[in-house]
Amino acid sequence: MSITNLQNKIQNRSAKIAQIGLGYVGLPVACMFAKVGFETIGVDVDQKRIATVNAGENPIEGIEPGLAELIAEVVAGGKLRCTTDYSELSDTDIIIIAVQTPVEDDTHQPRYQHMQSALHSLGLALKDGALVVVESTIAPGTMHNVIIPALEASSGKKAGTGFYVGHCPERVMPGRLLHNIQNMDRVIGGFDPDTAATMKILYENIVNGTLDTTDLLTAELVKTTENAYRDVQIAFANEVARVCEALGGDVWKVRELVNKSPGRNMLYPGAGVGGHCIPKDPWLLISRIRDEVVPQLIPMARQVNRSMPQHVLQLTQDALSEAGVDPAKAIVAVLGYAYLENSDDTRDTPSQFYLQAAEPIFGEIRVHDPFVAPYQADLDTILEGVDVAVILVAHDEYRQMDWDAALETMRTPALVDARNVLKKVPSRNAHIRILGKGH
Ligand code: SAJ
């Protein structure tokens, strides 16, 4: 099929779309194309997920406004159906791939097993002249060095003639999946300008934001850079927090006044950096660099952010020591297990690193989180009789807590606030440590 024919099929919405990967990125995209009238097939390896969606139900955790209703609508309307069988893709004109792209814990090198498997299965069914769009976040150079060779090998077709290929990196945020897809600007990387133009025609169906067309490498660089940028920004805030602690300053006040200076936008220090994007994407950005340049700032920012859970543990030990409590006998309440405030998402949560380091040190550790299933016990009960409460996540419940009263119920009145949750420092003589604030 010529690219003009493909463009026409997109414009009259007769093009058939497949969405490979039905997670928090892929499922909303599939639903939105189905919503505007494209016959859409969802593909995933997870049988349970397939069955859930085919039943018109939402498998995505957390609060996602509008998603459950949209799934029910497009499934009932017959516009979205899901399968594990790739052979059903032999008649699809557009295939969007949104499978996970993790990095190895030790080497930080990307693991593309999920992607390779999807590409192989897709290639075997790939229709002549189909458009393949990768939405997963990938290391710069991956389209040309991994994705296209894999598709050419398994399909026997050549990119640019036998099939078309592009990269449109996702920009989703948990809790705002549909809103983000509809309203955020997107980068459209095409194998060639005609492909980029075709992708733009496609995405205009569901994206109201600006669609910036470019080449494959630029699209890969933009996505990984925007998250590496955020990681460096957070690391800067964390380092200034440590400086303020050492000098007796208050980083929260310093940040507020610094940001009154034009062109400054200092982010927040905290107990660490979690989630599915920020801890991973900086490593993707630099993963294919060999000897040409030795990145320093990006790895160092990762190191600073990864050290914050340990620093909060040190603050905990300082508070207990000041209170004269033997850590080995201390009962510690760890407040917050999600990676983000008011979310149930625990991917790569900094709290796991705090707990791993704290486990061998304290007598008893109680974990609380209002959003995360195993930890939703009553907060007052959790706090009764503990020697220190450690706030790792800025959940609203902790912001709204009456900490003066809570400290009264504790065996030792000690509190560590790693997210500047406290509206005011508790009045009674308690043993308080606030991240970024000298005491
Ligand atoms: N964090 C800080 N200080 C900050 C901001 C975040 O310590 O000032 C921590 C959070 O506690 C969390 C982690 O960093 O553990 C990540 O937080 P995040 O606000 O960056 O949220 P994410 O992980 O959902 O990031 C996503 C990203 N979106 C995409 O990749 C499409 C990121 O690019 C967005 O900037 C971010 O959402 C956003 O702005 O909400």
Side-chain angles (χ1 to χ4, degrees):
M1 170 171 41
S2 73
I3 200 127
T4 310
N5 285 355
L6 181 58
Q7 289 175 356
N8 293 337
K9 291 188 81 171
I10 294 170
Q11 274 154 346
N12 65 30
R13 293 182 179 164
S14 63
K16 284 187 183 173
I17 295 179
Q19 172 63 54
I20 298 176
L22 296 174
Y24 59 87
V25 177
L27 182 57
V29 170
C31 292
M32 290 173 72
F33 278 118
K35 166 87 173 163
V36 298
F38 288 95
E39 187 184 337
T40 306
I41 303 177
V43 182
D44 201 295
V45 292
D46 182 336
Q47 299 263 9
K48 187 167 174 294
R49 182 171 288 259
I50 296 292
T52 302
V53 177
N54 281 337
E57 287 157 21
N58 175 18
I60 304 287
E61 296 165 353
I63 303 157
E64 290 298 346
L67 183 58
E69 297 82 354
L70 180 57
I71 294 169
E73 177 192 338
V74 295
V75 170
K79 282 296 183 185
L80 173 65
R81 67 181 176 80
C82 301
T83 178
T84 57
D85 181 3
Y86 273 84
S87 65
E88 296 195 40
L89 302 189
S90 58
D91 190 30
T92 51
D93 305 297
I94 294 156
I95 304 96
I96 300 168
I97 303 176
V99 299
Q100 53 187 343
T101 52
V103 294
E104 297 290 356
D105 288 342
D106 49 355
T107 64
H108 308 303
Q109 282 302 308
R111 286 206 309 262
Y112 285 133
Q113 285 85 340
H114 297 93
M115 179 64 78
Q116 293 281 19
S117 167
L119 293 168
H120 178 74
S121 304
L122 169 59
L124 298 175
L126 193 60
K127 178 180 178 180
D128 200 57
L131 166 63
V132 180
V133 179
V134 174
E135 285 210 357
S136 304
T137 302
I138 50 181
T142 301
M143 287 302 294
H144 280 296
N145 297 293
V146 176
I147 308 282
I148 290 170
L151 279 172
E152 289 181 332
S154 56
S155 69
K157 304 173 196 301
K158 284 299 282 176
T161 52
F163 64 93
Y164 308 106
V165 64
H167 177 41
C168 181
E170 52 88 3
R171 276 183 175 158
V172 297
M173 296 165 205
R176 292 172 269 170
L177 295 180
L178 292 182
H179 177 269
N180 275 24
I181 293 168
Q182 286 161 341
N183 299 298
M184 289 191 79
D185 295 351
R186 296 287 291 272
V187 177
I188 301 264
F191 178 77
D192 53 37
D194 283 348
T195 302
T198 306
M199 291 167 67
K200 184 167 181 169
I201 295 169
L202 172 68
Y203 278 90
E204 278 167 348
N205 285 283
I206 62 169
V207 175
N208 303 323
T210 304
L211 296 170
D212 297 301
T213 55
T214 185
D215 59 85
L216 295 176
L217 177 63
T218 302
E220 293 167 321
L221 282 164
V222 166
K223 170 65 187 181
T224 49
T225 298
E226 71 192 32
N227 282 347
Y229 174 74
R230 187 165 177 85
D231 197 50
V232 169
Q233 283 183 299
I234 298 168
F236 178 79
N238 283 330
E239 184 135 284
V240 172
R242 302 285 299 270
V243 168
C244 286
E245 277 177 24
L247 298 177
D250 175 351
V251 73
W252 306 97
K253 189 66 182 165
V254 167
R255 173 191 171 279
E256 181 193 330
L257 298 178
V258 161
N259 286 348
K260 288 184 184 290
S261 172
R264 275 41 168 203
N265 177 27
M266 188 171 157
L267 291 187
Y268 296 98
V273 174
H276 51 289
C277 306
I278 308 300
K280 163 176 70 78
D281 293 357
W283 295 120
L284 288 176
L285 173 58
I286 60 176
S287 63
R288 298 182 72 87
I289 291 174
R290 291 296 167 259
D291 308 329
E292 303 87 340
V293 65
V294 179
Q296 300 175 64
L297 183 60
I298 292 170
M300 184 50 72
R302 284 278 71 236
Q303 188 176 317
V304 168
N305 290 336
R306 185 65 183 73
S307 76
M308 292 313 286
Q310 185 65 43
H311 178 60
V312 177
L313 176 60
Q314 185 57 56
L315 293 176
T316 310
Q317 292 168 296
D318 293 351
L320 287 171
S321 166
E322 182 184 274
V325 173
D326 174 0
K329 298 190 176 65
I331 303 176
V332 178
V334 174
L335 307 186
Y337 193 76
Y339 87 85
L340 202 61
E341 58 273 13
N342 304 320
S343 163
D344 68 351
D345 198 330
T346 62
R347 271 170 293 199
D348 214 5
T349 179
S351 300
Q352 67 185 314
F353 304 120
Y354 178 94
L355 289 168
Q356 280 164 15
E359 234 58 271
I361 296 171
F362 300 129
E364 177 190 338
I365 296 176
R366 301 175 188 172
V367 181
H368 176 269
D369 190 300
F371 293 89
V372 180
Y375 308 126
Q376 289 170 307
D378 172 67
L379 181 53
D380 293 330
T381 310
I382 287 277
L383 292 174
E384 254 171 48
V386 303
D387 295 304
V388 61
V390 185
I391 302 170
L392 296 181
V393 183
H395 288 319
D396 287 348
E397 182 174 1
Y398 306 146
R399 288 188 189 282
Q400 290 147 14
M401 187 78 180
D402 174 351
W403 285 104
D404 282 321
L407 286 163
E408 295 291 338
T409 68
M410 293 163 64
R411 181 166 70 177
T412 310
L415 180 60
V416 176
D417 178 4
R419 294 286 182 181
N420 195 35
V421 157
L422 294 177
K423 295 187 186 69
K424 63 179 179 56
V425 179
S427 49
R428 66 165 289 175
N429 60 331
H431 307 285
I432 307 289
R433 289 295 184 280
I434 298 172
L435 178 78
K437 209 166 173 179
H439 65 279

